[in-house]
Amino acid sequence: MQTKILLDEEQIPKKWYNVQADLPSPLDPPLHPQTHKPVGPADLSAIFPMELIRQEVTTDRYVDIPEEVREVFRLYRPSPLYRAHRLEKALKTPAKIYYKWEGVSPAGSHKTNTSIPQAYYNMKAGIERIATETGAGQWGSAMSFATMLYDLECTVYMVRSSYTQKPYRKSMMQVWGAECIPSPSTKTKSGQAVLAKDPDTPGALGIAISEAVEDAASHSNTNYALGSVLNHVCLHQTVIGLECREQLASVDAYPDVVIGCVGGGSNFAGISFPFAGDKLVGKHKDVDILGVEPASCPSLTKGLYTYDFGDEAGYTPLMKMFTLGHDFVPPSMHAGGLRYHGDSPIVSRLVHDGVMRAVAYHQSEVFEAAQTFARAEGIIVAPETSHAVKGAIDEALACKKTGEEKTILFNCTGHGNFDMSAYDAFYSGNLVDYEYPDRLIKEALGRIPKIA
Amino acid sequence: MQTKILLDEEQIPKKWYNVQADLPSPLDPPLHPQTHKPVGPADLSAIFPMELIRQEVTTDRYVDIPEEVREVFRLYRPSPLYRAHRLEKALKTPAKIYYKWEGVSPAGSHKTNTSIPQAYYNMKAGIERIATETGAGQWGSAMSFATMLYDLECTVYMVRSSYTQKPYRKSMMQVWGAECIPSPSTKTKSGQAVLAKDPDTPGALGIAISEAVEDAASHSNTNYALGSVLNHVCLHQTVIGLECREQLASVDAYPDVVIGCVGGGSNFAGISFPFAGDKLVGKHKDVDILGVEPASCPSLTKGLYTYDFGDEAGYTPLMKMFTLGHDFVPPSMHAGGLRYHGDSPIVSRLVHDGVMRAVAYHQSEVFEAAQTFARAEGIIVAPETSHAVKGAIDEALACKKTGEEKTILFNCTGHGNFDMSAYDAFYSGNLVDYEYPDRLIKEALGRIPKIA
């Protein structure tokens, strides 16, 4: 009973897949935060290198992965695809469950798939420092690792609630030479403004993004880097899905269901876009693509599909996406990486068009799923990842009822070794299943700027 | 530049290699703690299943690995062998450095290689609960994982200093359904005795072993399991070296130097015994086999080669080994898994006979080496593992001086994700380089029982 499907290093993808090429109509363009006119490369060049701006807008179907980036990928890619024999047995399901294990990366999650090329292109552009934000710390540590590889400095604004819950993510960043600051901080105007209103705020990704963007925009040697949401980030993550498709093909399989957790949407994009592309061009019309989000931050399931800012302060361009409102502060739950008010514009578009769909779960039920997974497969996943696990388990249990032998693929994005305090809370009965009152969501949605 | 050398699951070893078959003369037998007569199977059967007792004493060259155990190994074995291209470049060494990455196991270290078969044989023997000890928590979590697989209960006595430093190892054990108790505890007579003498003791592996043995001996449904030292544990770990030999052969290589860190000696045994066997039978006479231990617990470099107890209280048989004295309490440094007064009898014998050798390092220099490794290869290793890293780096730097292009192989036993407080101490300058005064070592050695 083969458990791991491995590929050779030569099979690390040579090109990223760009689903923009296969959309029936172009994406709505990002708009300038003040003028509300479409932004051009010049507007973005203050904080991004030109190659990433090009990747953000290109409609080429494939984008070459630099050989120097593939060389670093050899440290952990291709990542293994597991057949979850033990989980299937535990669930007594006729479904076949596969999971892509991205926790083998040095920083412990899929985030290095984009931090490495982002650091590379910034180094090539002569940039000396990266300012970025991080939720649970996965992105901050991935960026710290990547900037170290290319001799860049790195400043990470870490959402305060996670900074407190997960102090050892900061230690990890330190090993790789980065500086990690709790956000909101007093280092930026946007941080100061939030602290003035609420000194005890747990912070939020949208706030941390404002701080990092402000830092980058006000230092000429410094660029900004985002760990999710943007098109080029989703593009970089497609190595996950491209490898999966190859690995499944080697055992004559193709997924009926593809599942990922959704915060900003990049890991979900990464595993699903190659399959969404197959669906869009009519090759596999029936593949079901499912994003799983937290019920406490339900952007895809309760948000609006409209233009909104990517950050709290309104520094970023306006993007057409599912959003709960840019100043929505999600409750301080354990899947810090999913606490984002918006979603990737491409993921949003595909959900809006019915190519993908979304569900939301509460944190106690996803930790229950994570325990089932850990006890079957051995891997203790991150709280974010446990949302995808829950989605896969529910699909497999549905198959048990119907008798369908579906092939279920999910993205096992990262390990929970830095999240054990969340498991402690689960075992001590201290997990709260926050549900944002519909009234407050409605109010936040009402504060989204109106675009003519 | 290929980085990872992978094997198929079919290449998971089918047999363990037993170096006892190739020793020029038999090992000195373990002696009964009271009578000082050689112990027989009956003496051990109160706490071990018969198959493990058989494996402890057999001189068969190979022992079959049960198919049910290989089936579980598929979750993480064969583990990858890495060529450390980036570390070689960082050190500017002509040496070729390879490391076996055991951190891919569910519990994050090599320890599952023996916890899985040990739990399996106990299950087969009808045992319902395992009592065991753990230092840094690697063994305790590995045993928790394995007992869960076979529906056994598990009680882990965790050395108090590590229990305090690394609370999340306990959380990990909880996810897998085990109970973890700080040692010394009030649950056992041996624990109570130590606490009566010194209520603030940091604990030690030797004390925790006494507690677990006492627990097992006083409950008929309960057996004891040891994570290192014993012959059958070293036997189980040889999957590491057997895979390495195969992986190196696939690139036409054979090591000039084989390196492991040494606490009880099992990971070092695991990576080195197949090569020590080649050396003993004259196939590769020059292979240099190097154990690296902490200067604060220098059993191989400053201990006596003599009979001594395996535990503090004197419950275990007397074993002929290098020892600092069974009541030696090493200072509370960060490599908790190396805080053991003795060593594997086989490793001790091979060091005594000159087949292997040992060096000792202080903790600040091994953390320095771990940082060099993390910044080159990405992996943040456990404090125990960092001793092997330091040994490998020093060998590679020696090659830089001599110009030798040696092939260096070391055992990268586990990740440091649960040890970040140790890295914090390193960065804040709070690491103390304990050196045990020779006078105290001499006194502890003086308390070793005299065997006629």
Side-chain angles (χ1 to χ4, degrees):
Chain A
M1 294 235 295
Q2 191 186 357
T3 297
K4 300 181 291 301
I5 304 173
L6 305 175
L7 299 174
D8 292 336
E9 288 176 16
E10 296 312 310
Q11 292 169 287
I12 293 171
K14 293 192 169 63
K15 293 167 191 294
W16 290 298
Y17 166 67
N18 180 16
V19 76
Q20 288 196 65
D22 293 317
L23 294 178
S25 64
L27 283 180
D28 297 288
L31 305 180
H32 192 282
Q34 276 101 47
T35 66
H36 296 188
K37 304 279 179 226
V39 296
D43 296 305
L44 299 170
S45 63
I47 58 168
F48 291 118
M50 205 44 80
E51 175 57 23
L52 291 178
I53 297 172
R54 194 188 73 76
Q55 292 181 9
E56 188 64 18
V57 296
T58 182
T59 53
D60 293 349
R61 185 165 286 110
Y62 292 100
V63 175
D64 285 338
I65 305 178
E67 202 42 54
E68 296 91 323
V69 167
R70 292 183 72 238
E71 203 55 57
V72 178
F73 281 167
R74 287 168 183 261
L75 287 174
Y76 68 101
R77 300 211 76 81
S79 65
L81 180 74
Y82 275 78
R83 170 77 186 271
H85 291 298
R86 288 171 181 275
L87 179 62
E88 292 169 20
K89 207 173 148 191
L91 300 176
K92 300 192 179 77
T93 176
K96 296 182 183 74
I97 306 174
Y98 292 89
Y99 58 94
K100 182 69 164 169
W101 181 217
E102 291 289 312
V104 293
S105 98
S109 82
H110 67 289
K111 291 288 187 186
T112 46
N113 298 333
T114 183
S115 70
I116 295 164
Q118 287 195 50
Y120 171 78
Y121 291 122
N122 275 293
M123 175 275 291
K124 281 285 184 191
I127 287 298
E128 292 168 2
R129 186 169 73 99
I130 294 291
T132 192
E133 77 293 327
T134 195
Q138 289 187 339
W139 169 245
S141 48
M143 200 66 212
S144 305
F145 171 67
T147 45
M148 174 203 69
L149 292 173
Y150 299 112
D151 267 337
L152 306 176
E153 287 178 71
C154 186
T155 304
V156 180
Y157 294 88
M158 183 169 184
V159 175
R160 171 163 294 160
S161 60
S162 292
Y163 186 92
T164 310
Q165 275 171 7
K166 302 172 185 180
Y168 295 137
R169 277 281 172 193
K170 180 196 62 171
S171 319
M172 193 178 207
M173 297 178 216
Q174 188 169 24
V175 172
W176 291 324
E179 180 191 23
C180 178
I181 300 165
S183 164
S185 78
T186 54
K187 285 215 161 193
T188 65
K189 285 180 194 158
S190 46
Q192 289 161 12
V194 175
L195 287 172
K197 268 195 286 184
D198 178 7
D200 296 324
T201 176
L205 265 182
I207 298 168
I209 292 173
S210 294
E211 293 203 85
V213 169
E214 183 184 329
D215 181 335
S218 54
H219 294 91
S220 63
N221 70 339
T222 303
N223 264 350
Y224 170 68
L226 187 61
S228 190
V229 180
L230 297 181
N231 302 344
H232 67 269
V233 181
C234 295
L235 176 78
H236 296 162
Q237 292 294 354
T238 59
V239 292
I240 301 173
L242 292 168
E243 285 180 8
C244 284
R245 198 166 57 183
E246 192 100 351
Q247 286 164 313
L248 287 171
S250 76
V251 292
D252 286 323
Y254 191 92
D256 296 299
V257 195
V258 180
I259 300 170
C261 61
V262 184
S266 72
N267 94 76
F268 179 50
I271 196 163
S272 71
F273 280 2
F275 300 103
D278 289 349
K279 188 171 184 172
L280 285 165
V281 302
K283 264 207 281 188
H284 287 273
K285 286 183 183 174
D286 295 330
V287 57
D288 182 19
I289 303 177
L290 177 63
V292 184
E293 61 182 13
S296 60
C297 189
S299 48
L300 289 175
T301 51
K302 292 198 175 175
L304 282 184
Y305 183 57
T306 185
Y307 271 106
D308 196 6
F309 297 112
D311 69 327
E312 195 271 342
Y315 293 162
T316 71
L318 292 150
M319 292 175 292
K320 184 85 173 274
M321 61 180 178
F322 278 97
T323 175
L324 292 162
H326 60 279
D327 62 358
F328 176 87
V329 178
S332 171
M333 45 82 176
H334 288 283
L338 307 185
R339 291 180 68 238
Y340 185 61
H341 68 274
D343 282 293
S344 143
I346 306 182
V347 167
S348 296
R349 165 72 176 276
L350 291 170
V351 170
H352 181 257
D353 289 357
V355 179
M356 301 173 159
R357 64 188 177 97
V359 292
Y361 289 112
H362 285 293
Q363 62 179 350
S364 60
E365 56 190 342
V366 303
F367 274 99
E368 195 69 50
Q371 177 183 286
T372 300
F373 187 68
R375 292 189 175 181
E377 297 290 316
I379 296 173
I380 299 175
V381 298
E384 293 81 6
T385 313
S386 65
H387 288 73
V389 171
K390 171 66 177 164
I393 287 179
D394 275 12
E395 286 294 316
L397 292 176
C399 288
K400 190 175 167 179
K401 281 192 187 152
T402 61
E404 286 173 290
E405 295 180 16
K406 281 188 184 172
T407 295
I408 298 167
L409 168 67
F410 77 89
N411 201 4
C412 198
T413 53
H415 63 64
N417 293 346
F418 291 90
D419 304 284
M420 298 312 295
S421 62
Y423 282 87
D424 283 355
F426 171 63
Y427 285 112
S428 60
N430 288 330
L431 279 190
V432 180
D433 282 341
Y434 308 96
E435 188 137 24
Y436 230 77
D438 283 343
R439 181 183 56 81
L440 289 180
I441 292 181
K442 208 173 153 190
E443 284 174 19
L445 293 177
R447 291 190 297 271
I448 295 172
K450 305 288 173 286
I451 305 297
Chain B
M1 296 235 294
Q2 190 185 359
T3 296
K4 302 181 292 299
I5 304 173
L6 306 174
L7 299 174
D8 292 335
E9 288 176 16
E10 296 312 310
Q11 292 169 288
I12 293 171
K14 293 192 167 64
K15 294 168 190 293
W16 291 298
Y17 166 67
N18 180 15
V19 75
Q20 288 195 64
D22 292 316
L23 293 178
S25 64
L27 283 179
D28 297 289
L31 304 180
H32 191 282
Q34 276 101 46
T35 66
H36 296 188
K37 304 281 179 222
V39 298
D43 297 305
L44 299 171
S45 64
I47 57 168
F48 290 119
M50 205 45 79
E51 176 57 23
L52 290 178
I53 296 172
R54 194 188 73 75
Q55 291 180 9
E56 188 65 18
V57 297
T58 182
T59 53
D60 292 349
R61 184 165 286 108
Y62 293 100
V63 175
D64 284 339
I65 304 178
E67 202 43 53
E68 297 92 323
V69 168
R70 292 184 72 239
E71 203 56 56
V72 178
F73 281 167
R74 286 169 183 259
L75 288 174
Y76 68 102
R77 301 213 73 82
S79 65
L81 181 72
Y82 274 78
R83 172 76 186 273
H85 290 298
R86 287 171 182 275
L87 179 62
E88 293 169 17
K89 208 173 148 192
L91 300 175
K92 299 191 179 76
T93 176
K96 297 182 183 73
I97 307 175
Y98 292 89
Y99 58 94
K100 181 69 163 169
W101 181 215
E102 291 290 311
V104 293
S105 99
S109 81
H110 66 288
K111 291 288 187 187
T112 47
N113 297 335
T114 183
S115 71
I116 295 164
Q118 287 195 49
Y120 170 78
Y121 291 123
N122 275 293
M123 176 274 290
K124 281 285 184 189
I127 288 297
E128 293 168 1
R129 187 171 70 100
I130 295 291
T132 192
E133 77 294 327
T134 197
Q138 289 188 337
W139 169 244
S141 47
M143 200 67 211
S144 305
F145 171 68
T147 46
M148 175 203 68
L149 292 173
Y150 299 112
D151 267 335
L152 306 175
E153 288 178 69
C154 186
T155 305
V156 179
Y157 295 87
M158 184 169 184
V159 175
R160 171 163 294 159
S161 60
S162 291
Y163 186 93
T164 310
Q165 275 171 6
K166 301 171 187 182
Y168 296 137
R169 277 283 172 191
K170 180 195 61 171
S171 318
M172 192 177 208
M173 297 179 216
Q174 188 170 24
V175 173
W176 291 324
E179 180 191 23
C180 177
I181 300 166
S183 165
S185 78
T186 54
K187 285 216 160 191
T188 65
K189 285 181 196 159
S190 45
Q192 290 161 11
V194 175
L195 287 172
K197 267 194 287 182
D198 178 7
D200 297 324
T201 176
L205 265 181
I207 298 167
I209 292 173
S210 293
E211 293 203 84
V213 168
E214 183 184 327
D215 180 335
S218 54
H219 295 91
S220 63
N221 70 340
T222 303
N223 264 350
Y224 170 68
L226 187 61
S228 189
V229 179
L230 297 180
N231 302 343
H232 68 270
V233 181
C234 295
L235 177 77
H236 296 162
Q237 291 294 355
T238 59
V239 292
I240 302 172
L242 291 167
E243 286 180 8
C244 284
R245 198 167 55 183
E246 193 100 351
Q247 287 163 312
L248 287 171
S250 77
V251 292
D252 287 323
Y254 191 91
D256 296 300
V257 194
V258 180
I259 300 171
C261 62
V262 184
S266 72
N267 94 76
F268 179 50
I271 197 164
S272 71
F273 280 3
F275 300 102
D278 288 349
K279 187 172 185 172
L280 285 165
V281 302
K283 265 207 277 187
H284 286 274
K285 287 183 180 171
D286 295 330
V287 56
D288 182 19
I289 303 176
L290 176 63
V292 184
E293 61 181 13
S296 59
C297 190
S299 48
L300 289 174
T301 51
K302 292 198 176 175
L304 281 184
Y305 183 57
T306 185
Y307 271 106
D308 197 4
F309 297 111
D311 68 327
E312 195 269 344
Y315 294 161
T316 72
L318 293 150
M319 293 175 291
K320 184 83 172 275
M321 61 182 178
F322 277 96
T323 174
L324 292 163
H326 59 279
D327 63 359
F328 175 88
V329 177
S332 172
M333 46 82 179
H334 288 284
L338 307 185
R339 290 180 69 238
Y340 186 60
H341 68 274
D343 283 294
S344 144
I346 306 181
V347 167
S348 296
R349 166 71 176 277
L350 290 171
V351 169
H352 181 256
D353 289 357
V355 179
M356 300 173 161
R357 64 187 177 98
V359 292
Y361 289 111
H362 285 291
Q363 61 180 350
S364 60
E365 56 191 341
V366 302
F367 274 98
E368 194 70 50
Q371 176 182 286
T372 300
F373 187 68
R375 294 189 173 181
E377 298 290 316
I379 296 173
I380 298 177
V381 298
E384 293 80 7
T385 314
S386 64
H387 288 74
V389 171
K390 171 67 176 163
I393 287 178
D394 276 11
E395 287 295 316
L397 292 176
C399 287
K400 189 175 167 180
K401 281 194 185 150
T402 62
E404 285 174 291
E405 296 181 15
K406 281 188 184 173
T407 296
I408 298 168
L409 168 67
F410 77 90
N411 201 4
C412 197
T413 53
H415 63 64
N417 293 347
F418 291 90
D419 305 283
M420 298 312 294
S421 61
Y423 282 88
D424 284 355
F426 171 62
Y427 286 112
S428 59
N430 287 332
L431 279 190
V432 180
D433 281 341
Y434 306 97
E435 187 135 26
Y436 231 76
D438 282 343
R439 179 183 57 80
L440 290 179
I441 292 180
K442 208 173 153 189
E443 285 174 18
L445 294 176
R447 292 190 296 271
I448 295 172
K450 303 287 173 286
I451 306 298

